[in-house]
Amino acid sequence: MWPSPVTLTGDHVILAPLHMEHAPALKEASADGALHRLWYTSIPKPADMQAEINRRLALQKAGSMLPFCVMTPDGTPVGMTTFMNIDATNKRVEIGSTWYRSSVQRSPLNTDAKRLLLSHAFDTLNCIAVEFRTHFMNHQSRTAIERLGAKLDGVLRSHMDQGNGVLRDTAVYSIIASEWPAVRANLTWRLEKPRK
């Protein structure tokens, strides 16, 4: 299996292999800010959390996803993220299906999580590229992706049916291996600079 389940630990976050035992805390995290009501993204309703964990674990078993539970340094689950659309032959992954409870958004947690995931992808898995995809209208997500140093590859128009009567235009971004040293330096600087 490529990539294999692993726990990644940073100063502001722990990314642990997703398990059903995380469901109660993730239900509470999803309810924080009623994230499931956002029309331009897909965040599980608290009542659907077990089904979402089962879905992600089934994709892991099929070899197309490696799901993580996102936790604060004290081990409290606050969200989910994944390596998805895994292409072992071409050494490519997408970082996606990410969400965090409202109370930890705009904290160092996301920057640290992305640094850990990108480091694992490029330094351990020897990926040639890492992709990020988001709804064209999800400006918060697009800004965060661009802040990482990812470049816009393009927009897939009417790319997918979201199941709510809306066709999603998908903005596709990537970081390639040769860009990783500069991206890593930028992420490290962002984590070390004083916060106002």
Side-chain angles (χ1 to χ4, degrees):
M1 181 180 199
W2 185 92
S4 299
V6 63
T7 297
L8 305 173
T9 304
D11 293 331
H12 305 280
V13 70
I14 299 168
L15 303 177
L18 182 65
H19 293 289
M20 190 55 71
E21 67 193 34
H22 297 128
L26 290 173
K27 286 180 183 180
E28 182 182 318
S30 173
D32 180 16
L35 299 174
H36 59 278
R37 292 190 178 148
L38 296 172
W39 70 271
Y40 50 77
T41 190
S42 179
I43 296 172
K45 297 176 184 175
D48 297 338
M49 192 60 63
Q50 288 178 308
E52 176 61 11
I53 292 172
N54 281 329
R55 183 188 76 83
R56 291 182 188 217
L57 293 177
L59 289 171
Q60 177 179 333
K61 189 173 181 181
S64 65
M65 179 181 279
L66 182 61
F68 295 90
C69 178
V70 179
M71 300 185 293
T72 56
D74 68 1
T76 302
V78 294
M80 296 179 178
T81 193
T82 73
F83 284 138
M84 57 191 283
N85 295 320
I86 293 169
D87 182 348
T89 302
N90 293 300
K91 300 277 189 174
R92 297 178 68 97
V93 297
E94 177 186 341
I95 295 174
S97 291
T98 302
W99 63 270
Y100 309 122
R101 69 180 302 146
S102 291
S103 61
V104 301
Q105 293 178 13
R106 294 182 178 81
S107 75
L109 181 139
N110 181 56
T111 303
D112 205 13
K114 293 302 189 290
R115 183 174 67 166
L116 289 170
L117 290 167
L118 288 165
S119 179
H120 191 66
F122 288 117
D123 300 333
T124 303
L125 302 175
N126 297 313
C127 286
I128 61 172
V130 174
E131 286 186 11
F132 301 86
R133 295 181 177 216
T134 192
H135 194 299
F136 182 80
M137 298 297 287
N138 189 343
H139 300 292
Q140 181 178 341
S141 179
R142 292 185 66 189
T143 298
I145 292 168
E146 290 168 6
R147 204 170 27 242
L148 295 173
K151 294 188 172 59
L152 180 65
D153 294 323
V155 178
L156 303 174
R157 301 183 66 210
S158 291
H159 176 231
M160 55 193 291
D161 186 343
Q162 289 189 195
N164 61 357
V166 175
L167 290 177
R168 170 175 140 163
D169 290 346
T170 301
V172 182
Y173 292 84
S174 68
I175 297 170
I176 59 175
S178 62
E179 296 167 339
W180 170 231
V183 169
R184 177 176 47 216
N186 180 52
L187 294 175
T188 300
W189 175 79
R190 287 185 171 279
L191 287 167
E192 292 176 352
K193 74 176 184 174
R195 293 197 168 260
K196 296 178 182 179

